[in-house]
Amino acid sequence: MAMRFRKSLKLAPGLRLNISKKGASIRVGPKGAGYTVGTSGQRVSAGIPGTGISVSSKISKRKSDNQNTNPSISSWVAGLVGLFLIVMFLGWLF
């Protein structure tokens, strides 16, 4: 039987610190959408709260995992979506 550990702390509205056995991550964004940066890389996700329907895309890997140094189009698109979410969040905060 595998034992898991995960703790999530709300730092500010739309900003969370997640801690697990594998490492830590920071998530920026409102419920249903977000940009996460952590020890496993960067991820953009979006979903419909309360339905269980969501989509998530990894936009970068750890340096040790990178075998192809050429970024793909999907990485660029996911990165732009993440940047858009950060800008929207910062605009909402201030």
Side-chain angles (χ1 to χ4, degrees):
M1 182 159 105
M3 190 167 202
R4 296 181 183 181
F5 168 76
R6 184 178 158 273
K7 180 68 179 170
S8 182
L9 303 168
K10 185 176 180 180
L11 302 176
L15 184 64
R16 286 195 170 276
L17 172 66
N18 298 307
I19 302 168
S20 70
K21 285 192 313 185
K22 289 186 177 184
S25 66
I26 296 282
R27 180 174 179 87
V28 178
K31 264 189 180 181
Y35 176 72
T36 305
V37 179
T39 54
S40 313
Q42 301 171 16
R43 186 172 290 276
V44 175
S45 58
I48 304 169
T51 64
I53 299 171
S54 66
V55 63
S56 181
S57 176
K58 194 168 192 176
I59 58 173
S60 74
K61 298 179 181 180
R62 292 176 290 164
K63 286 186 180 183
S64 62
D65 290 344
N66 278 340
Q67 300 202 2
N68 182 4
T69 56
N70 297 330
S72 67
I73 295 295
S74 63
S75 294
W76 281 97
V77 171
L80 289 174
V81 169
L83 182 60
F84 173 76
L85 288 172
I86 290 173
V87 169
M88 292 299 292
F89 173 72
L90 291 175
W92 175 71
L93 255 179
F94 300 107

